[in-house]
Amino acid sequence: MSNLSKPIPPAGGPGGLAVEIRGKTFRGADGGDVRAIENVAFEVAAGRFATLIGPSGCGKTTTLRIILGLDPDFKGRLKLPADGAGRVAAVFQEPRLLPWRSVEENVRLALPEEDAGRDLDPLFATLGLTEMRSRYPSELSLGLARRVSLARAFAIRPSLLILDEPFVSLDEQTATRLRKLLIEVWSARPTTALMVTHNLREAVQLSDRIVFLTERPARIRGVHDIVTPHGERDTRWRETTLSVIAKRYSGVL
Amino acid sequence: MALELDRVAADRSIPSRLAPGIVTLLSLAGLLAIWWIAAIVADSRVLPAPPAVAEAFWRDARTGELFFHLAMTLMRVAGAFVIAMAVGSAIGIVLGMNREANRFFDPWLILFLNVPALVIIVLAYIWFGLNEAAAIGAIAVNKIPNAVVTLREGARALDRDLEEMAKVYRFGPAKTLRHVILPQLQPYFAAASRSGISLIWKIALVVELLGRSNGVGFQINLYFQLFDVAAILAYTLAFVAVMLIIEFLLVQPFEAHSTRWRPRRARG
């Protein structure tokens, strides 16, 4: 919470996200219990972007699923932004578009009733999807489908945005372009956001707070806050920050 | 498969471009020729040649009798089809989504799948009387277990990822059903309808034969007693033609419309 001096006014309703998971166990296929999360507790201030980083299979996606309400079977508490009254948007690892609906329909279907007729032109234009509105998802490349998935998330003006490795398995060029787009859309209306990634560079570029997790069962390894505004994060700044972080948390790079 | 066919078609030149229609026509003409030759060779009242069948068709068509009976059968087929698909799909989807319900009702399903159509028809007439409701109900009950089995498979194969997406974006039950679940079940509906229509119209004839005083089945029974094979064939072919027209004018355009989002090569 040391970075409240940031100039951008927080959006997405009062209060940020507070996560407190005191234990999460999965029933394994052999009947034995697998402990996925030991103790994960962190906060994201309203209108801030946080990132979860940790080794494969350490329970990052599980944490996101608990926050999304897809897995109610856990010990602990959650406090969602806007006291749970706001909407939550998710960008999943796979785009998860409805193949039988066009790009525009996919985005519009997510809109709340009272917003159904909203003008989506600016959003589609920002994400470079204007030409694709009437296409079906099967006609899109993975990069384009990811953009549609981002458009859907931002279209509903969420109070909480959850991103689960949104740029995984894209070529670096496409991923970089999409990250820029994400910052652009997000900065226009900063929303409390939580992203899971394996990519520390990505985390450093996008987030205000990085939460490092341990191996399974997950615990918090450390929290790193970044106060430099997004606009001032150039290549040199990034390399310095990366080496600072790498020194403190060995093995994360 | 389609890709291979395309390649084969591209390798050959002009004749292959006209192929699909011509092949169908040649195939039907071949069948007709075999029938005609067999009829001439047999030279018997029990295997009339095509002209005799055409004459029988014309005889009943001119009086309007044929069309009346076709319409009665079609009405029963349509009624039973709608009931069977609606009830069968609903039960199938519930069983596919609910493991406990499926475990409980699976033996019932196996039982109904294996009760002979004739038994259901006879029992329906005994219990409910020789009326239209019993007739249509009996046809529907014969089809329902098939629709249940097909749609149950569909409901088991539903995509969890899309379901979660719908939950996160708060689609609500109606929106989820219409935009997420039903489109996934569409191929299963199509399969159940296809096999359903052919099954239903065959059973409809038996129902008419046993307990109705009109319809194609009743007429065929009548001509069976008169030993008029030409008329039997005329009614059969007329009804098959009606079903083909329904297939080409209703089923296929609907399917093309509901699968327009699929990549072209998968359309086959």
Side-chain angles (χ1 to χ4, degrees):
Chain A
M1 299 311 204
S2 57
N3 51 0
L4 289 175
S5 58
K6 266 188 67 172
I8 304 164
L17 169 73
V19 179
E20 204 182 312
I21 302 169
R22 296 290 170 215
K24 164 73 196 166
T25 318
F26 280 111
R27 171 75 27 107
D30 55 352
D33 285 347
V34 181
R35 201 158 173 75
I37 298 174
E38 180 76 41
N39 187 357
V40 168
F42 61 91
E43 290 185 16
V44 185
R48 295 296 141 88
F49 198 115
T51 300
L52 281 180
I53 288 196
S56 289
C58 80
K60 301 184 295 286
T61 298
T62 307
T63 309
L64 292 193
R65 289 176 57 83
I66 288 174
I67 298 171
L68 285 172
L70 296 175
D71 194 341
D73 178 30
F74 70 102
K75 286 200 206 79
R77 303 181 288 161
L78 288 177
K79 193 186 134 316
L80 296 181
D83 294 321
R87 300 181 69 88
V88 180
V91 178
F92 298 95
Q93 274 179 33
E94 328 76 39
R96 297 202 190 177
L97 303 174
L98 300 171
W100 37 84
R101 296 286 180 264
S102 69
V103 164
E104 171 148 10
E105 286 168 329
N106 261 288
V107 176
R108 266 194 199 284
L109 277 172
L111 293 175
E113 300 257 319
E114 64 273 15
D115 250 2
R118 220 178 71 216
D119 177 23
L120 294 171
D121 294 354
L123 183 65
F124 280 125
T126 314
L127 287 166
L129 289 169
T130 310
E131 313 279 291
M132 307 289 162
R133 293 169 84 138
S134 55
R135 298 274 186 95
Y136 287 102
S138 61
E139 302 171 279
L140 305 179
S141 66
L142 181 58
L144 278 171
R146 288 259 164 83
R147 287 196 217 182
V148 179
S149 164
L150 281 177
R152 177 174 62 191
F154 281 101
I156 68 166
R157 298 196 175 135
S159 63
L160 176 63
L161 174 65
I162 298 287
L163 302 122
D164 188 2
E165 301 194 48
F167 309 119
V168 78
S169 64
L170 287 177
D171 61 276
E172 195 42 44
Q173 221 180 347
T174 313
T176 310
R177 198 168 341 125
L178 274 184
R179 269 177 220 127
K180 278 206 183 103
L181 280 176
L182 172 60
I183 295 195
E184 201 180 322
V185 189
W186 182 80
S187 305
R189 186 178 174 280
T191 305
T192 313
L194 180 63
M195 177 174 77
V196 155
T197 182
H198 281 290
N199 186 330
L200 185 59
R201 282 170 188 281
E202 184 170 291
V204 164
Q205 195 184 344
L206 294 172
S207 38
D208 302 307
R209 162 169 282 193
I210 305 177
V211 179
F212 293 96
L213 298 181
T214 63
E215 299 267 346
R216 194 174 67 199
R219 273 168 285 112
I220 302 276
R221 191 174 168 202
V223 175
H224 182 89
D225 282 330
I226 298 173
V227 290
T228 317
H230 285 111
E232 292 166 29
R233 300 181 186 179
D234 53 19
T235 319
R236 210 178 51 191
W237 172 86
R238 196 166 65 225
E239 292 312 315
T240 330
T241 314
L242 279 173
S243 65
V244 169
I245 294 176
K247 219 172 281 169
R248 197 167 341 150
Y249 306 99
S250 59
V252 292
L253 252 186
Chain B
M1 201 50 210
L3 269 181
E4 270 169 42
L5 286 179
D6 283 350
R7 205 176 307 137
V8 171
D11 287 348
R12 290 191 221 141
S13 50
I14 305 141
S16 63
R17 212 170 290 169
L18 304 164
I22 287 184
V23 169
T24 309
L25 277 181
L26 279 177
S27 158
L28 288 176
L31 195 61
L32 193 73
I34 292 173
W35 170 16
W36 206 318
I37 292 164
I40 290 169
V41 171
D43 188 25
S44 153
R45 241 186 92 207
V46 298
L47 184 57
V53 173
E55 198 187 317
F57 175 86
W58 183 240
R59 193 182 62 216
D60 278 19
R62 212 169 30 192
T63 59
E65 202 183 350
L66 182 119
F67 298 107
F68 166 72
H69 292 293
L70 280 184
M72 288 312 287
T73 301
L74 201 58
M75 181 271 293
R76 289 180 189 120
V77 167
F81 177 77
V82 170
I83 295 171
M85 285 302 292
V87 176
S89 307
I91 298 176
I93 293 170
V94 169
L95 293 191
M97 289 175 141
N98 187 328
R99 194 185 294 222
E100 281 74 34
N102 183 45
R103 206 169 292 151
F104 185 83
F105 287 109
D106 197 46
W108 297 28
L109 187 60
I110 294 169
L111 179 82
F112 275 97
L113 270 172
N114 287 293
V115 175
L118 191 59
V119 175
I120 293 176
I121 298 165
V122 170
L123 287 179
Y125 279 145
I126 293 173
W127 287 340
F128 303 106
L130 290 169
N131 54 49
E132 205 61 58
I136 292 177
I139 307 170
V141 169
N142 271 300
K143 167 62 191 165
I144 285 171
N146 294 70
V148 170
V149 169
T150 311
L151 268 294
R152 183 176 64 177
E153 285 314 310
R156 276 177 183 160
L158 284 176
D159 190 335
R160 289 199 71 91
D161 285 0
L162 291 179
E163 193 189 317
E164 288 180 359
M165 185 280 293
K167 200 176 167 204
V168 168
Y169 285 99
R170 299 188 196 166
F171 272 31
K175 221 173 174 185
T176 307
L177 187 69
R178 182 167 160 216
H179 298 285
V180 184
I181 295 180
L182 290 184
Q184 290 187 67
L185 294 177
Q186 190 276 332
Y188 297 89
F189 280 120
S193 319
R194 279 276 167 73
S195 66
I197 285 186
S198 57
L199 181 73
I200 280 176
W201 95 260
K202 286 167 195 167
I203 293 172
L205 295 203
V206 182
V207 167
E208 289 168 347
L209 183 146
L210 287 175
R212 303 308 302 152
S213 50
N214 50 41
V216 176
F218 172 79
Q219 285 298 96
I220 286 178
N221 191 26
L222 181 75
Y223 287 119
F224 168 55
Q225 279 155 19
L226 298 175
F227 230 68
D228 188 345
V229 180
I232 291 173
L233 288 177
Y235 271 90
T236 310
L237 290 179
F239 202 77
V240 169
V242 169
M243 298 314 282
L244 279 181
I245 291 169
I246 290 175
E247 164 86 18
F248 285 118
L249 294 187
L250 282 174
V251 178
Q252 287 193 2
F254 174 75
E255 212 170 288
H257 174 79
S258 59
T259 56
R260 68 200 179 286
W261 53 273
R262 274 183 213 278
R264 220 159 257 279
R265 88 184 97 87
R267 210 174 270 167

